[in-house]
Amino acid sequence: MANPKMKERKPLHLAKLHVHKGDTVLVLAGKDRGKRGKVISTAPRDGKVIVEGVNIAKKHVRAGVGVAAGIIEKPMPLQVSNVMVVCTECGEPTRIGHDRIPIGADQKPRTRRICKRCGKPIEEHTRD
Ligand SMILES: [Zn+2]
């Protein structure tokens, strides 16, 4: 049975975002419009991102096993269309372009993101 509250999710092969985890983004809409923050996680199939310190919801938590009662502040997901990637080179919010060049030790052609303002590649977040 389909839950009517569930929004349609994109098939995996179509789910691509211009925003990646670790990017700094500028928020364009909503109560936190104008704020900048770091992307904590992305949900490509839902077209959503979670940004540090943005769209905070207060959640009241009941005491449980090993959990104290209280109010938890949790960032809620934002629509990707409402954020803009901030370029790691020029520090300005920008649209994203792509190009394919041979990078890395094996010189395989790989796609990278390009800042539409300064034309330099956007730095990717390295996994820790
Ligand atoms: Zn730039």
Side-chain angles (χ1 to χ4, degrees):
M1 187 70 96
N3 180 353
K5 271 193 172 171
M6 284 268 277
K7 294 270 158 58
E8 200 176 304
R9 302 179 83 213
K10 275 197 171 180
L12 195 57
H13 67 287
L14 293 176
K16 286 226 164 106
L17 299 182
H18 63 288
V19 180
H20 293 178
K21 188 175 163 185
D23 287 348
T24 299
V25 293
L26 173 71
V27 180
L28 303 173
K31 62 176 180 180
D32 292 316
R33 189 194 312 167
K35 265 196 197 172
R36 288 182 186 208
K38 196 175 152 195
V39 175
I40 305 169
S41 78
T42 61
R45 295 190 68 186
D46 301 313
K48 293 199 167 165
V49 291
I50 296 178
V51 183
E52 206 170 56
V54 173
N55 202 16
I56 297 291
K58 283 191 176 149
K59 195 183 176 199
H60 297 257
V61 180
R62 192 180 273 207
V65 182
V67 189
I71 299 168
I72 286 179
E73 295 195 345
K74 198 182 166 204
M76 298 305 283
L78 299 172
Q79 204 70 42
V80 262
S81 57
N82 293 337
V83 302
M84 211 169 184
V85 175
V86 174
C87 173
T88 47
E89 282 293 329
C90 61
E92 296 289 327
T94 181
R95 286 171 297 123
I96 297 290
H98 290 93
D99 75 351
R100 252 173 105 71
I101 56 149
I103 352 177
D106 54 355
Q107 291 295 292
K108 244 178 138 180
R110 287 188 172 86
T111 305
R112 56 177 195 175
R113 296 181 298 160
I114 301 290
C115 169
K116 284 283 189 184
R117 263 180 207 262
C118 66
K120 297 210 176 89
I122 307 257
E123 231 172 81
E124 298 293 338
H125 169 76
T126 44
R127 256 170 232 161
D128 31 37

